[in-house]
Amino acid sequence: MLLRLVLISRPVLWVNTTGTTAIALWLAGALWEWEAVALLLWATLPFNLLIYGINDIFDQETDALNSRKGGLEGARIVSTESRRILAAVVLTNLPFVAYFLFTLPLDALAWILAYIVIFVQYSAPPLRFKARSYLDALSNAAYAFPLVFVPLAFGVAPVWAAAIGLMAWSVAKHTFDAVQDIDVDREAGIITTAVRLGPRLALLWCTVWWSASTICFAFVNIPVAVANALIAGWLLLRLRRDPTPDGARRLYRYSIAFPYAAGSVAGVQIVAALLLGGS
C-alpha cells in the first residue's frame, strides 16, 4: 500500500514542491534552521499525495481514457481505492498542518491555507478549477506559494520577483503540458485552457507567461533566467513545428525535465554558497 501511495503521489513531480521549498529556504537564508525540516518533509510525500491523490479520486473517468496514466505520469486508480487514498491524504498531512498552526506566524499560515485549498479545489468540487478554462492554468500559480510562506515562516520578506516569476512559469507549464490532452479532455467535456485556445494559441499563451517569468527571474538570478529562457524557448519552438497533441506528447518528457534542469542551476549555486560558508 505504501508503494502504491508513493506511485499515486507522482515522485517524478516532487521537484515542483520540494525544489521550490528548498530554493525558498535558500533565499530566506534558512537552510540550516531546524524548523526547515518540517516544511521540507511536508513537501515530499504528504503534500504531493494531497495534490495527486485527490486529483486521481475525481479524475477516474478521464484517467481511464488517458494512455499516459498508469505509470510515472500518474496512477490509474479504481473506485475501491478512493477512501484509502483520502484517509492517507488526511493522515499524512494533518500532523504537519497541526504543527504549523502552533509554530508559524499568521501570515505564513494564510498562504499555507491558500496553498492547500487551491490544490484541493483544482480537482474537487465545487470549484474544480481543472475543468474551467484559464482558471485551470492560473490556479497552478499556487506551486510558487512556498516562495512566499517559507520566508514568512522565518520572519523574512519574500523575494517577490522570484515568487511572481515562478507563478507565471507555472501557468505556462500547466497549459503547455495540457496540449497533449486536448483530445482526451474534449471528449470528456473538460474545457481546459489548452482546449479553449487550441494548440497554436496555447503556444502564444505559454510564450507570454514564460517570457514574464524570465523577466522576473532576471531580477533575482541571471543564470536561472538564462536557463529558463533557453529551455522554454526550445520547447516552444519544438511544439511550433508540430502544434498537435501528439507533438506535445512527444515533448512531455522534456517538459518534465524542465524544472530539474533549471533547478539544477540554482542548486549548483546553493551548494557553492554552502561550501563557501553562506546560508
Side-chain angles (χ1 to χ4, degrees):
M1 184 61 187
L2 179 59
L3 290 175
R4 178 66 172 161
L5 292 175
V6 171
L7 177 62
I8 290 169
S9 73
R10 304 183 198 180
V12 72
L13 300 180
W14 285 14
V15 65
N16 294 321
T17 54
T18 57
T20 304
T21 301
I23 290 173
L25 290 166
W26 173 44
L27 292 174
L31 277 174
W32 295 112
E33 298 290 337
W34 174 250
E35 292 83 354
V37 175
L39 289 164
L40 277 171
L41 287 177
W42 184 49
T44 58
L45 175 66
F47 196 72
N48 283 282
L49 189 59
L50 181 147
I51 297 173
Y52 302 114
I54 292 177
N55 180 263
D56 288 345
I57 289 172
F58 289 98
D59 280 6
Q60 292 176 54
E61 293 183 7
T62 54
D63 285 350
L65 302 173
N66 195 329
S67 60
R68 292 195 300 115
K69 303 300 181 178
L72 290 177
E73 296 181 24
R76 185 181 288 121
I77 71 168
V78 295
S79 58
T80 54
E81 292 182 284
S82 296
R83 287 188 178 181
R84 283 182 292 176
I85 293 170
L86 187 58
V89 168
V90 174
L91 289 174
T92 55
N93 282 272
L94 189 59
F96 288 98
V97 174
Y99 175 74
F100 297 150
L101 285 172
F102 286 102
T103 59
L104 299 185
L106 287 177
D107 50 1
L109 288 173
W111 281 91
I112 287 175
L113 177 62
Y115 193 47
I116 294 170
V117 170
I118 289 173
F119 277 115
V120 169
Q121 287 297 290
Y122 175 81
S123 301
L127 298 180
R128 192 162 162 75
F129 296 131
K130 75 160 293 173
R132 300 172 184 267
S133 52
Y134 304 115
L135 287 178
D136 64 327
L138 293 173
S139 65
N140 269 249
Y143 275 111
F145 284 12
L147 290 178
V148 180
F149 66 71
V150 168
L152 291 176
F154 294 95
V156 178
V159 179
W160 286 107
I164 294 170
L166 188 56
M167 289 178 191
W169 184 92
S170 300
V171 172
K173 177 71 159 54
H174 178 274
T175 302
F176 186 90
D177 290 345
V179 171
Q180 66 187 311
D181 292 327
I182 284 177
D183 294 336
V184 174
D185 288 337
R186 184 181 288 122
E187 183 179 348
I190 298 176
I191 309 300
T192 64
T193 302
V195 171
R196 175 77 66 187
L197 295 176
R200 293 186 184 277
L201 285 178
L203 267 172
L204 178 60
W205 167 272
C206 294
T207 300
V208 170
W209 287 104
W210 267 333
S211 297
S213 71
T214 298
I215 293 170
C216 289
F217 292 153
F219 285 100
V220 183
N221 189 278
I222 293 297
V224 171
V226 171
N228 185 69
L230 290 174
I231 299 169
W234 183 83
L235 286 171
L236 292 166
L237 287 173
R238 286 291 301 271
L239 185 57
R240 186 181 178 187
R241 294 177 184 175
D242 184 13
T244 64
D246 286 339
R249 196 169 296 115
R250 285 190 289 271
L251 290 172
Y252 185 56
R253 58 179 174 171
Y254 302 109
S255 179
I256 288 178
F258 191 167
Y260 286 94
S264 67
V265 176
V268 168
Q269 295 175 77
I270 293 174
V271 172
L274 293 174
L275 291 176
L276 293 174
S279 57

